[in-house]
Amino acid sequence: MNEIDKSKLPVHVAIIMDGNGRWAKKRGFPRVQGHQKGTETVREVVKASREIGIKWLTLYAFSEENWKRSDLEISALMNLLEKFLRQELKEMTEKGIRLRAIGRLHKLPASTRELLLKTIDETSGGTQMTLTLALSYGGRQEILDALRKVGTMVEKGLLRAEEIEKRHLTASLYEPEMPDPDLLIRTSGEYRISNFLLWEIAYTELYITPTLWPDFSKEEYLKAIAEFQRRERRFGAAE
Ligand code: FPP
């Protein structure tokens, strides 16, 4: 914690939580047990983010591609998510954490979606931190959904095609208020983006660690932030 410069914190940290399956396999456990342990890491990272003073935290909890997993694994993930929402509601409202979600939420099972929307509503007054869960989320899908909204404006004659600017697309994303991530962390050592926040990460710093998500800790989180603070960000400009 001493290594962290509080005046240079990333405003928005996004995380690709990968490696739950491998964590379980290494121990001869079913994959679901990896997700269970991964949920504990989610709790720790949410708590640590709040303590450090991160204002926006976005977690890739379920991708559009994850629908291809077995029914058993999908329902286990939905159950874990529901359990997390029920258990964390009190903590979130007490600590001023506002919950949001991005993705094609209409594809979620009704019980999960209803609980999610209820939790979003009940935490909407939180001012300390915004926790965004990416659920049934795909970066290309988000851009497509945004394009459709912009297209509708053009169709209605509210905007001309040649007048379309970046801000029109940004305003049509799932969470227009969300600032672009400053830091993107990916666990389990894979060097890819996996369709996460494609529009938003144009100038985001990447931190990739071989640690599997269930083993990710507050110490390593602080290490990632300390490394972020040592980087020089130029946003494409010259020195
Ligand atoms: C990647 O591991 C992780 C996921 C697909 C889901 C992440 C979900 C959680 C951490 C738990 C539920 C979420 C919340 C917010 C409570 P993987 O299964 O792809 O791992 P592998 O690549 O090693 O197989």
PDB file of all heavy atoms in Angstrom, residues 203-222:
ATOM      1  N   TYR A 203      -6.844   3.284 -25.297  1.00  0.00           N
ATOM      2  CA  TYR A 203      -5.587   3.758 -24.689  1.00  0.00           C
ATOM      3  C   TYR A 203      -5.346   3.186 -23.295  1.00  0.00           C
ATOM      4  O   TYR A 203      -4.610   3.758 -22.496  1.00  0.00           O
ATOM      5  CB  TYR A 203      -5.571   5.299 -24.656  1.00  0.00           C
ATOM      6  CG  TYR A 203      -5.519   5.870 -26.043  1.00  0.00           C
ATOM      7  CD1 TYR A 203      -6.652   6.397 -26.644  1.00  0.00           C
ATOM      8  CD2 TYR A 203      -4.329   5.828 -26.777  1.00  0.00           C
ATOM      9  CE1 TYR A 203      -6.622   6.881 -27.939  1.00  0.00           C
ATOM     10  CE2 TYR A 203      -4.286   6.313 -28.076  1.00  0.00           C
ATOM     11  CZ  TYR A 203      -5.433   6.834 -28.648  1.00  0.00           C
ATOM     12  OH  TYR A 203      -5.383   7.306 -29.933  1.00  0.00           O
ATOM     13  N   THR A 204      -5.965   2.060 -23.018  1.00  0.00           N
ATOM     14  CA  THR A 204      -5.862   1.455 -21.683  1.00  0.00           C
ATOM     15  C   THR A 204      -4.524   0.733 -21.506  1.00  0.00           C
ATOM     16  O   THR A 204      -4.036   0.090 -22.437  1.00  0.00           O
ATOM     17  CB  THR A 204      -7.037   0.463 -21.513  1.00  0.00           C
ATOM     18  OG1 THR A 204      -8.260   1.191 -21.641  1.00  0.00           O
ATOM     19  CG2 THR A 204      -6.992  -0.249 -20.182  1.00  0.00           C
ATOM     20  N   GLU A 205      -3.943   0.850 -20.319  1.00  0.00           N
ATOM     21  CA  GLU A 205      -2.714   0.111 -19.996  1.00  0.00           C
ATOM     22  C   GLU A 205      -3.078  -1.327 -19.639  1.00  0.00           C
ATOM     23  O   GLU A 205      -4.044  -1.568 -18.908  1.00  0.00           O
ATOM     24  CB  GLU A 205      -2.007   0.755 -18.792  1.00  0.00           C
ATOM     25  CG  GLU A 205      -1.506   2.156 -19.048  1.00  0.00           C
ATOM     26  CD  GLU A 205      -0.382   2.212 -20.082  1.00  0.00           C
ATOM     27  OE1 GLU A 205       0.420   1.250 -20.158  1.00  0.00           O
ATOM     28  OE2 GLU A 205      -0.319   3.208 -20.818  1.00  0.00           O
ATOM     29  N   LEU A 206      -2.295  -2.283 -20.132  1.00  0.00           N
ATOM     30  CA  LEU A 206      -2.599  -3.694 -19.873  1.00  0.00           C
ATOM     31  C   LEU A 206      -1.650  -4.273 -18.824  1.00  0.00           C
ATOM     32  O   LEU A 206      -0.457  -3.983 -18.827  1.00  0.00           O
ATOM     33  CB  LEU A 206      -2.471  -4.511 -21.163  1.00  0.00           C
ATOM     34  CG  LEU A 206      -3.239  -4.002 -22.386  1.00  0.00           C
ATOM     35  CD1 LEU A 206      -3.004  -4.934 -23.580  1.00  0.00           C
ATOM     36  CD2 LEU A 206      -4.737  -3.911 -22.098  1.00  0.00           C
ATOM     37  N   TYR A 207      -2.190  -5.061 -17.948  1.00  0.00           N
ATOM     38  CA  TYR A 207      -1.371  -5.790 -16.960  1.00  0.00           C
ATOM     39  C   TYR A 207      -1.810  -7.252 -17.015  1.00  0.00           C
ATOM     40  O   TYR A 207      -2.951  -7.577 -16.688  1.00  0.00           O
ATOM     41  CB  TYR A 207      -1.593  -5.218 -15.560  1.00  0.00           C
ATOM     42  CG  TYR A 207      -0.809  -5.934 -14.470  1.00  0.00           C
ATOM     43  CD1 TYR A 207       0.474  -5.520 -14.104  1.00  0.00           C
ATOM     44  CD2 TYR A 207      -1.356  -7.031 -13.808  1.00  0.00           C
ATOM     45  CE1 TYR A 207       1.189  -6.179 -13.110  1.00  0.00           C
ATOM     46  CE2 TYR A 207      -0.644  -7.695 -12.811  1.00  0.00           C
ATOM     47  CZ  TYR A 207       0.630  -7.257 -12.474  1.00  0.00           C
ATOM     48  OH  TYR A 207       1.333  -7.919 -11.492  1.00  0.00           O
ATOM     49  N   ILE A 208      -0.901  -8.100 -17.462  1.00  0.00           N
ATOM     50  CA  ILE A 208      -1.253  -9.521 -17.591  1.00  0.00           C
ATOM     51  C   ILE A 208      -0.405 -10.328 -16.612  1.00  0.00           C
ATOM     52  O   ILE A 208       0.816 -10.165 -16.558  1.00  0.00           O
ATOM     53  CB  ILE A 208      -1.048  -9.997 -19.042  1.00  0.00           C
ATOM     54  CG1 ILE A 208      -2.066  -9.256 -19.937  1.00  0.00           C
ATOM     55  CG2 ILE A 208      -1.240 -11.521 -19.169  1.00  0.00           C
ATOM     56  CD1 ILE A 208      -1.843  -9.363 -21.403  1.00  0.00           C
ATOM     57  N   THR A 209      -1.067 -11.141 -15.817  1.00  0.00           N
ATOM     58  CA  THR A 209      -0.354 -11.940 -14.827  1.00  0.00           C
ATOM     59  C   THR A 209      -0.669 -13.431 -15.022  1.00  0.00           C
ATOM     60  O   THR A 209      -1.802 -13.769 -15.363  1.00  0.00           O
ATOM     61  CB  THR A 209      -0.742 -11.523 -13.383  1.00  0.00           C
ATOM     62  OG1 THR A 209      -0.240 -12.514 -12.475  1.00  0.00           O
ATOM     63  CG2 THR A 209      -2.252 -11.415 -13.194  1.00  0.00           C
ATOM     64  N   PRO A 210       0.329 -14.301 -14.789  1.00  0.00           N
ATOM     65  CA  PRO A 210       0.057 -15.741 -14.906  1.00  0.00           C
ATOM     66  C   PRO A 210      -0.830 -16.280 -13.779  1.00  0.00           C
ATOM     67  O   PRO A 210      -1.376 -17.373 -13.884  1.00  0.00           O
ATOM     68  CB  PRO A 210       1.449 -16.389 -14.843  1.00  0.00           C
ATOM     69  CG  PRO A 210       2.347 -15.358 -14.259  1.00  0.00           C
ATOM     70  CD  PRO A 210       1.756 -14.014 -14.547  1.00  0.00           C
ATOM     71  N   THR A 211      -1.000 -15.518 -12.725  1.00  0.00           N
ATOM     72  CA  THR A 211      -1.813 -15.978 -11.584  1.00  0.00           C
ATOM     73  C   THR A 211      -3.235 -16.310 -12.039  1.00  0.00           C
ATOM     74  O   THR A 211      -3.849 -15.542 -12.775  1.00  0.00           O
ATOM     75  CB  THR A 211      -1.885 -14.859 -10.514  1.00  0.00           C
ATOM     76  OG1 THR A 211      -0.557 -14.484 -10.186  1.00  0.00           O
ATOM     77  CG2 THR A 211      -2.618 -15.322  -9.270  1.00  0.00           C
ATOM     78  N   LEU A 212      -3.748 -17.446 -11.600  1.00  0.00           N
ATOM     79  CA  LEU A 212      -5.125 -17.820 -11.931  1.00  0.00           C
ATOM     80  C   LEU A 212      -6.070 -16.991 -11.049  1.00  0.00           C
ATOM     81  O   LEU A 212      -5.738 -16.684  -9.898  1.00  0.00           O
ATOM     82  CB  LEU A 212      -5.341 -19.323 -11.697  1.00  0.00           C
ATOM     83  CG  LEU A 212      -4.361 -20.245 -12.449  1.00  0.00           C
ATOM     84  CD1 LEU A 212      -4.580 -21.710 -12.053  1.00  0.00           C
ATOM     85  CD2 LEU A 212      -4.479 -20.088 -13.959  1.00  0.00           C
ATOM     86  N   TRP A 213      -7.249 -16.645 -11.591  1.00  0.00           N
ATOM     87  CA  TRP A 213      -8.143 -15.733 -10.864  1.00  0.00           C
ATOM     88  C   TRP A 213      -8.401 -16.148  -9.408  1.00  0.00           C
ATOM     89  O   TRP A 213      -8.332 -15.304  -8.507  1.00  0.00           O
ATOM     90  CB  TRP A 213      -9.443 -15.517 -11.632  1.00  0.00           C
ATOM     91  CG  TRP A 213     -10.390 -14.621 -10.903  1.00  0.00           C
ATOM     92  CD1 TRP A 213     -11.555 -14.972 -10.310  1.00  0.00           C
ATOM     93  CD2 TRP A 213     -10.207 -13.222 -10.634  1.00  0.00           C
ATOM     94  NE1 TRP A 213     -12.133 -13.880  -9.700  1.00  0.00           N
ATOM     95  CE2 TRP A 213     -11.327 -12.794  -9.880  1.00  0.00           C
ATOM     96  CE3 TRP A 213      -9.211 -12.285 -10.951  1.00  0.00           C
ATOM     97  CZ2 TRP A 213     -11.472 -11.471  -9.451  1.00  0.00           C
ATOM     98  CZ3 TRP A 213      -9.364 -10.969 -10.509  1.00  0.00           C
ATOM     99  CH2 TRP A 213     -10.480 -10.583  -9.775  1.00  0.00           C
ATOM    100  N   PRO A 214      -8.662 -17.420  -9.110  1.00  0.00           N
ATOM    101  CA  PRO A 214      -8.922 -17.760  -7.699  1.00  0.00           C
ATOM    102  C   PRO A 214      -7.732 -17.464  -6.770  1.00  0.00           C
ATOM    103  O   PRO A 214      -7.910 -17.322  -5.560  1.00  0.00           O
ATOM    104  CB  PRO A 214      -9.222 -19.272  -7.744  1.00  0.00           C
ATOM    105  CG  PRO A 214      -9.722 -19.504  -9.127  1.00  0.00           C
ATOM    106  CD  PRO A 214      -8.901 -18.579  -9.995  1.00  0.00           C
ATOM    107  N   ASP A 215      -6.521 -17.380  -7.354  1.00  0.00           N
ATOM    108  CA  ASP A 215      -5.329 -17.097  -6.526  1.00  0.00           C
ATOM    109  C   ASP A 215      -4.963 -15.615  -6.530  1.00  0.00           C
ATOM    110  O   ASP A 215      -4.009 -15.210  -5.859  1.00  0.00           O
ATOM    111  CB  ASP A 215      -4.116 -17.887  -7.061  1.00  0.00           C
ATOM    112  CG  ASP A 215      -4.266 -19.381  -6.854  1.00  0.00           C
ATOM    113  OD1 ASP A 215      -4.864 -19.781  -5.833  1.00  0.00           O
ATOM    114  OD2 ASP A 215      -3.791 -20.140  -7.722  1.00  0.00           O
ATOM    115  N   PHE A 216      -5.682 -14.798  -7.279  1.00  0.00           N
ATOM    116  CA  PHE A 216      -5.359 -13.376  -7.366  1.00  0.00           C
ATOM    117  C   PHE A 216      -5.630 -12.740  -5.997  1.00  0.00           C
ATOM    118  O   PHE A 216      -6.623 -13.055  -5.339  1.00  0.00           O
ATOM    119  CB  PHE A 216      -6.213 -12.713  -8.451  1.00  0.00           C
ATOM    120  CG  PHE A 216      -5.796 -11.320  -8.801  1.00  0.00           C
ATOM    121  CD1 PHE A 216      -4.656 -11.080  -9.551  1.00  0.00           C
ATOM    122  CD2 PHE A 216      -6.554 -10.226  -8.380  1.00  0.00           C
ATOM    123  CE1 PHE A 216      -4.272  -9.789  -9.882  1.00  0.00           C
ATOM    124  CE2 PHE A 216      -6.176  -8.929  -8.710  1.00  0.00           C
ATOM    125  CZ  PHE A 216      -5.037  -8.710  -9.463  1.00  0.00           C
ATOM    126  N   SER A 217      -4.721 -11.861  -5.564  1.00  0.00           N
ATOM    127  CA  SER A 217      -4.819 -11.326  -4.204  1.00  0.00           C
ATOM    128  C   SER A 217      -4.741  -9.808  -4.198  1.00  0.00           C
ATOM    129  O   SER A 217      -4.387  -9.182  -5.205  1.00  0.00           O
ATOM    130  CB  SER A 217      -3.625 -11.852  -3.400  1.00  0.00           C
ATOM    131  OG  SER A 217      -2.430 -11.391  -4.032  1.00  0.00           O
ATOM    132  N   LYS A 218      -5.024  -9.244  -3.039  1.00  0.00           N
ATOM    133  CA  LYS A 218      -4.908  -7.796  -2.878  1.00  0.00           C
ATOM    134  C   LYS A 218      -3.466  -7.337  -3.145  1.00  0.00           C
ATOM    135  O   LYS A 218      -3.239  -6.299  -3.759  1.00  0.00           O
ATOM    136  CB  LYS A 218      -5.335  -7.402  -1.460  1.00  0.00           C
ATOM    137  CG  LYS A 218      -5.285  -5.905  -1.245  1.00  0.00           C
ATOM    138  CD  LYS A 218      -5.842  -5.482   0.083  1.00  0.00           C
ATOM    139  CE  LYS A 218      -5.745  -3.972   0.225  1.00  0.00           C
ATOM    140  NZ  LYS A 218      -6.216  -3.494   1.525  1.00  0.00           N
ATOM    141  N   GLU A 219      -2.503  -8.150  -2.701  1.00  0.00           N
ATOM    142  CA  GLU A 219      -1.078  -7.801  -2.911  1.00  0.00           C
ATOM    143  C   GLU A 219      -0.785  -7.652  -4.404  1.00  0.00           C
ATOM    144  O   GLU A 219      -0.134  -6.718  -4.839  1.00  0.00           O
ATOM    145  CB  GLU A 219      -0.140  -8.882  -2.341  1.00  0.00           C
ATOM    146  CG  GLU A 219      -0.072  -8.936  -0.831  1.00  0.00           C
ATOM    147  CD  GLU A 219      -1.361  -9.441  -0.205  1.00  0.00           C
ATOM    148  OE1 GLU A 219      -1.830 -10.517  -0.629  1.00  0.00           O
ATOM    149  OE2 GLU A 219      -1.924  -8.770   0.688  1.00  0.00           O
ATOM    150  N   GLU A 220      -1.296  -8.625  -5.174  1.00  0.00           N
ATOM    151  CA  GLU A 220      -1.017  -8.566  -6.611  1.00  0.00           C
ATOM    152  C   GLU A 220      -1.770  -7.412  -7.275  1.00  0.00           C
ATOM    153  O   GLU A 220      -1.272  -6.789  -8.216  1.00  0.00           O
ATOM    154  CB  GLU A 220      -1.352  -9.891  -7.285  1.00  0.00           C
ATOM    155  CG  GLU A 220      -0.935  -9.841  -8.742  1.00  0.00           C
ATOM    156  CD  GLU A 220      -0.526 -11.156  -9.345  1.00  0.00           C
ATOM    157  OE1 GLU A 220      -0.863 -12.203  -8.775  1.00  0.00           O
ATOM    158  OE2 GLU A 220       0.122 -11.111 -10.401  1.00  0.00           O
ATOM    159  N   TYR A 221      -2.926  -7.121  -6.766  1.00  0.00           N
ATOM    160  CA  TYR A 221      -3.716  -5.985  -7.267  1.00  0.00           C
ATOM    161  C   TYR A 221      -2.917  -4.694  -7.045  1.00  0.00           C
ATOM    162  O   TYR A 221      -2.774  -3.856  -7.945  1.00  0.00           O
ATOM    163  CB  TYR A 221      -5.042  -5.970  -6.513  1.00  0.00           C
ATOM    164  CG  TYR A 221      -6.100  -5.036  -7.045  1.00  0.00           C
ATOM    165  CD1 TYR A 221      -6.068  -4.539  -8.345  1.00  0.00           C
ATOM    166  CD2 TYR A 221      -7.176  -4.673  -6.233  1.00  0.00           C
ATOM    167  CE1 TYR A 221      -7.062  -3.701  -8.812  1.00  0.00           C
ATOM    168  CE2 TYR A 221      -8.178  -3.840  -6.695  1.00  0.00           C
ATOM    169  CZ  TYR A 221      -8.112  -3.342  -7.982  1.00  0.00           C
ATOM    170  OH  TYR A 221      -9.102  -2.520  -8.443  1.00  0.00           O
ATOM    171  N   LEU A 222      -2.368  -4.564  -5.851  1.00  0.00           N
ATOM    172  CA  LEU A 222      -1.570  -3.369  -5.548  1.00  0.00           C
ATOM    173  C   LEU A 222      -0.336  -3.302  -6.448  1.00  0.00           C
ATOM    174  O   LEU A 222       0.067  -2.229  -6.893  1.00  0.00           O
ATOM    175  CB  LEU A 222      -1.157  -3.374  -4.066  1.00  0.00           C
ATOM    176  CG  LEU A 222      -2.302  -3.160  -3.071  1.00  0.00           C
ATOM    177  CD1 LEU A 222      -1.831  -3.394  -1.642  1.00  0.00           C
ATOM    178  CD2 LEU A 222      -2.890  -1.748  -3.201  1.00  0.00           C
TER     179      LEU A 222
END
